[in-house]
């Protein structure tokens, strides 16, 4: 088969700061998926994109080209409106777990395709797999059966969705090209658009524990993704939210399920509840549903939907969750106000305890993690527990404590804090 | 074996505009040669180097690291001083052929390791292979035998010299990263320094037919290479020379050998003779030899050295050279002065006639090429031959003529011309 372009010409165009044409983008993404553009060519192009950028037209087209390499799901058989959520990831971010059954209980279809954790970011699938028997991998038919049973589903994205993204993501990971905003935005949005929901709410996190620690970069990413989604016919909004301190009090896997159940039962830490409700309201508004998510919790309907969803995926919602074999309590060194608690340090410490994986093939310890007992602004007495470290292997406490050193402080200068919800971008944002 | 660095960290350092340390450079070049740094990682790094640059320290170190991946030749067994020459390549650039025996006749050892042509640049080895029986590939012992017999040798560089460069050059060719001056300079100089001559003269070409068509880039490349060479203990100078019109009158392979023999016989086109003598004088001066290259020609000694060198490599210096099967004469469309003759158009036309190769594995037609009958400034009468196109396949004339269209003009505005020797850089240049 004769090819429309030579790979080097496309690379050189972007290297020299020129815009790529629609035809060049369509071809290079497809040809890379087919193996005609080699890894070493795509990585050079990715570096040129990272350093020279892409404009909105190029990013939208690149996203569409990645979607076109695979299949696109369709939920039009469901009478209810479908709506989806994506978070760029943070420490203690278990929002998906309570959010999906709450929004489903309000009448929407919530097909939530999720990922696993890598590095110190937790993964929703890893958290859900703390539940005995629960299966992440579903066929399309099984996924729809779960949606019929409970209105929501949390499962792994199949290989058929945007295979170009899967291949490109692995390449970027080893070539220093993860940080390109055009490639981050198109990677996230190609999967989310291919998932087929009619509405999408993005939770773009910023602060020391976020992938986009820098606010202007988070804003650029959010604006770019909102534009891509709406251009592709998916009603898309974004909240830019704080990831300077951990979200809620649990950082791990099984303990984050426990905290999610507290929210569904009407309790839970205030910051987590506030964020879940804010995201739920955006999702319901996009879906055109006039329903109150708080009422879905207090009525018990959200918990019913959770139980139905977990059961439909083979899980036992009433089984005991895994517990770590060992605990280590960190106490307040002095009496005073907890002034600092950095999300980054807590996240890395939980990862070192076994809650996360360093390489894709690593196993994780579902019971490992950190229970926080205080948040910044809380008054603590000397010797009072600040946090409980959980691990299956006692030797992990020392490296975790080393990571925590300097990440929390009692009685110092209060750390700079971000508001929980920093900015909201909707369909009218330009 | 544990590695000193992670590939991604080195890529990210250069991506983010930081200097690479000596240790990072030593490691990444060596690890790439060992296959520990993958092609897709090196291509991303090459793109980052192209876009963010390297300073002189980094370039010198990168060159040394490439030399260290292979062997280094040594000519200290010869009592005479050794001196080498390198050209960045141009249209009709057959300078090496007469230059080597001239400088050898003046008492130097001239170990000239050369390459093949790719694209519209001719390759010295391709030209020499027009000679019946002549062998480009010599063992180190054979090479020294030829030097003992004739003082000069023109042959292919062995695989043992800077293998990192060989691998990196192939990668750059397919990843749009050929044009990075730090990588061009280190590629050329790693091979030239590893060749072991004590002196080196660089012919850096600029103008429409040169790889560095832009004078400031040619100056930067020349200055960088002179610095690298002198830092490595090789006395290095550079001439920046014109490649706006073809050098001499022959553009091809066998016909360039014919023109080289004219020079050795005391004739030849003036521009070619002037450049050969200028480069010979620089080489002799670097070698500390007080000898007159013109006298080497007129005495017949240069031709004797040529004959000895060709014979020592299995060639028959008196055999007939290959002739093309077909000729096509281009005549002057009107009477007047030939005002334009672009090296680029002539070079590409000769390539289309079969004198060059499009891919490394292509065969070339040794008899193909273009004999020029006039140069800019010459008066021509309507119908007078301007050039003779030579090809083994008549179907090649049409695409060659299409390339020539617009590359020459009679009676128009005189083209901008460069002086033959634009600038000279020596050991004292900073």
């Amino acid at each position: 088969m004769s090819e429309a372009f030579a790979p080097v010409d496309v690379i050189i165009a972007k290297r020299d700061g020129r815009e790529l044409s629609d035809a060049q983008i369509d071809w290079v993404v497809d040809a890379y998926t087919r193996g005609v553009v080699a890894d070493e060519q795509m990585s050079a192009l990715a570096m040129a994109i990272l350093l020279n950028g892409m404009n909105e037209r190029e990013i939208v087209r690149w996203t569409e080209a990645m979607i076109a390499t695979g299949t696109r799901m369709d939920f039009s058989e469901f009478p209810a409106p479908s709506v989806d959520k994506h978070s760029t990831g943070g420490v203690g971010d278990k929002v998906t777990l309570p959010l999906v059954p709450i929004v489903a209980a309000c009448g929407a279809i919530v097909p939530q395709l999720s990922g696993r954790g890598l590095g110190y970011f937790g993964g929703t699938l890893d958290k859900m797999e703390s539940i005995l028997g629960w299966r992440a991998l579903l066929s399309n038919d099984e996924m729809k059966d779960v949606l019929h049973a409970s209105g929501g589903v949390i499962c792994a994205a199949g290989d058929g969705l945007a295979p170009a993204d899967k291949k490109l993501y692995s390449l970027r990971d080893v070539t220093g090209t993860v940080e390109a905003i055009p490639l981050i935005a198109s990677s996230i949005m190609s999967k989310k658009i291919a998932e087929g929901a009619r509405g999408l709410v993005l939770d773009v996190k910023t602060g020391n524990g976020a992938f986009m620690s820098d606010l202007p970069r988070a804003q650029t990413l959010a604006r770019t993704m909102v534009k891509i989604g709406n251009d592709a016919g998916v009603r898309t909004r974004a909240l830019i939210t704080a990831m300077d301190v951990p979200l809620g009090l649990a950082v791990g896997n099984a303990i984050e399920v426990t905290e999610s159940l507290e929210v569904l039962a009407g309790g839970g830490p205030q910051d987590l509840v506030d964020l879940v409700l804010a995201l739920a309201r955006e999702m319901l508004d996009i879906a055109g549903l006039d329903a109150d998510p708080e009422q879905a919790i207090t009525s018990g309907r959200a918990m019913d939907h959770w139980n139905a969803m977990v059961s439909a995926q083979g899980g036992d919602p009433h089984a005991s969750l895994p517990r770590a074999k060992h605990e280590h309590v960190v106490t307040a060194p002095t009496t005073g106000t907890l002034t600092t608690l950095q999300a980054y340090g807590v996240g890395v410490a939980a990862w070192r305890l076994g809650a996360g994986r360093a390489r894709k093939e690593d196993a994780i310890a579902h019971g490992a993690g950190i229970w926080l007992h205080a948040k910044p602004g809380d008054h603590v007495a000397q010797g009072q527990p600040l946090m409980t470290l959980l691990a299956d292997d006692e030797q992990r406490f020392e490296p975790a404590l080393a990571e925590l050193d300097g990440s929390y402080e009692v009685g110092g200068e209060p750390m700079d804090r971000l508001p929980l919800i920093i900015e909201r971008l909707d369909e009218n944002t330009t």
Side-chain angles (χ1 to χ4, degrees), chain A:
Chain A
M1 179 180 156
S2 161
E3 296 290 333
F5 295 95
V8 169
D9 292 340
V10 180
I11 298 168
I12 287 176
K14 183 48 66 184
R15 178 196 83 187
D16 292 349
R18 297 199 295 276
E19 280 185 37
L20 299 184
S21 69
D22 288 352
Q24 283 178 316
I25 290 169
D26 292 349
W27 177 80
V28 81
V29 169
D30 181 62
Y32 177 58
T33 312
R34 287 186 287 121
V36 168
V37 169
D39 279 344
E40 58 269 27
Q41 295 174 319
M42 185 52 97
S43 67
L45 178 58
M47 183 59 80
I49 290 170
L50 189 148
L51 291 172
N52 287 340
M54 291 211 288
N55 65 22
E56 277 189 352
R57 179 195 58 76
E58 290 175 288
I59 299 172
V60 168
R61 190 75 182 200
W62 186 280
T63 307
E64 289 167 353
M66 293 215 295
I67 295 167
T69 61
T71 54
R72 201 161 161 166
M73 301 190 73
D74 178 20
F75 298 100
S76 57
E77 71 184 78
F78 291 88
S82 56
V83 63
D84 196 0
K85 168 255 181 187
H86 179 80
S87 163
T88 59
V91 176
D93 182 5
K94 72 283 291 174
V95 164
T96 296
L97 279 60
L99 183 64
V100 170
I102 289 169
V103 176
C106 292
I109 290 295
V110 192
Q112 183 71 43
L113 276 63
S114 299
R116 295 186 185 280
L118 189 60
Y120 70 91
F121 290 118
T124 295
L125 299 181
D126 296 327
K127 294 170 193 177
M128 291 297 290
E129 284 178 347
S130 304
I131 301 167
L132 186 71
W134 186 87
R135 288 191 303 120
L137 210 62
L138 303 181
S139 69
N140 279 4
D141 284 346
E142 287 174 323
M143 187 179 165
K144 289 184 175 176
D145 288 345
V146 178
L147 285 172
H148 280 293
S150 74
V153 65
I154 296 173
C155 63
D159 286 344
L161 296 181
D165 175 65
K166 187 170 182 155
K167 194 172 173 188
L168 181 56
Y169 191 88
S170 302
L171 181 71
R172 286 165 56 211
D173 195 38
V174 297
T175 57
T177 52
V178 169
E179 287 79 358
I181 285 183
L183 298 179
I184 297 167
S186 56
S187 172
I188 292 171
M189 294 305 291
S190 64
K191 279 176 293 192
K192 285 287 148 183
I193 294 167
E195 279 174 37
R198 305 298 304 150
L200 174 63
V201 176
L202 300 162
D203 181 4
V204 178
K205 301 214 170 281
T206 191
N208 70 74
F211 178 59
M212 290 279 155
S213 53
D214 176 55
L215 179 59
R217 277 176 61 81
Q219 289 169 318
T220 301
L221 177 63
R223 197 170 52 244
T224 305
M225 293 196 295
V226 167
K227 165 87 178 155
I228 294 172
N230 287 299
D231 274 18
V234 177
R235 284 191 70 186
T236 306
R237 295 182 186 170
L239 297 182
I240 300 177
T241 71
M243 186 35 65
D244 49 353
V245 302
L247 188 64
L249 295 167
V251 180
N253 293 283
I255 60 175
E256 292 200 29
V257 175
T258 300
E259 192 170 67
S260 300
L261 292 169
E262 289 174 17
V263 173
L264 289 169
Q270 198 59 48
D271 58 346
L272 175 59
V273 172
D274 286 347
L275 183 57
V276 166
L277 291 175
L279 289 166
R281 288 193 186 100
E282 294 290 348
M283 291 170 76
L284 293 169
D285 188 50
I286 278 183
L289 293 168
D290 181 20
D292 177 4
E294 283 196 81
Q295 212 275 326
I297 296 171
T298 51
S299 67
R301 284 184 292 113
M303 186 69 92
D304 293 343
H305 279 260
W306 165 267
N307 289 335
M309 178 178 79
V310 169
S311 299
Q313 290 181 241
D316 177 355
H318 306 295
S320 301
L321 292 165
R323 287 180 58 121
K325 292 189 186 132
H326 303 280
E327 290 188 6
H328 178 96
V329 176
V330 175
T331 56
T334 176
T335 296
T337 302
L338 180 65
T339 47
T340 291
L341 184 69
Q342 304 278 0
Y344 179 79
V346 174
V348 175
W351 173 46
R352 296 249 189 263
L353 289 168
R357 47 173 77 79
R359 291 169 308 172
K360 286 194 186 79
E361 58 275 19
D362 290 349
I364 63 167
H366 286 98
I370 299 175
W371 267 119
L372 302 170
H373 308 303
K375 293 286 278 276
D378 291 353
H379 184 83
V380 294
Q382 187 176 4
Q384 176 183 330
L386 286 180
M387 54 187 100
T388 302
L389 279 51
L390 305 165
D392 285 341
D393 172 1
E394 280 186 294
Q395 301 205 325
R396 289 179 176 261
F397 289 127
E398 194 178 308
L401 289 166
E403 290 294 344
L404 285 170
D405 190 39
S407 295
Y408 66 95
E409 192 178 1
V410 176
E413 281 293 305
M415 69 184 280
D416 285 334
R417 288 295 303 275
L418 294 166
L420 181 65
I421 296 172
I422 298 160
E423 195 176 326
R424 176 180 177 279
L425 296 87
D426 66 16
E427 305 87 316
N428 303 314
T429 305
T430 51

